[in-house]
Amino acid sequence: MALDAFVRCACIKKGKAKPHPFPDRLTFHESGEPILSGDPSEDEWEAHDQWLGECCEHEGCLVSVFLGNITRVKNLRSFLRALQGKPGPRFPILLEDVLYDGTHTGDWIPAKESPRLLKEVETVLHSRDILAESEKEFFDNMKKLCEASIQTGNSIMF
């Protein structure tokens, strides 16, 4: 079990993607995820998913990263709790929305929250010299996700 995250590119919203197989049914979930309206069949979902992976030069995603397994997430959560000290919380988005579970999927962080999350990540990265390699990898990946979310206006998806 692992925690992965991605940020979609803006090609679909900007009309730069290849034509959708069901353009009249293409809509966006509140997370910003492209979905089909109505009651799509399994075949329609399959065609939609295939289109998502081929819709543009980015294959629908600007950034897609591995964040860690259950153990890394647990260790990062403990590290951040110790780093924030009292009165805390200095890392509310990281602790409550990212590192609360090592395998959550289907969650997202809205693009409007990405600048605040980026500040939390950069606070940790200012202490780069005390980070283990796996911690550096996690926070560098989180920074990439935040920057992509801010650039595209799309949510960070888990």
Side-chain angles (χ1 to χ4, degrees), residues 2-8 61-68 98 104-105 107-109 138 141-142 145-146 155-158:
L3 181 60
D4 301 297
F6 66 92
V7 174
R8 289 216 172 272
C61 285
L62 191 59
V63 175
S64 179
V65 294
F66 167 75
L67 293 175
V98 179
H104 62 96
T105 59
D107 296 339
W108 72 91
I109 296 174
F138 171 83
N141 282 339
M142 285 303 305
L145 290 164
C146 291
S155 300
I156 298 171
M157 308 291 293
F158 299 95

Side-chain angles (χ1 to χ4, degrees), residues 71-82:
T71 302
R72 181 190 283 182
V73 169
K74 177 181 169 252
N75 292 340
L76 286 163
R77 197 169 44 242
S78 296
F79 170 77
L80 282 180
R81 285 184 179 140

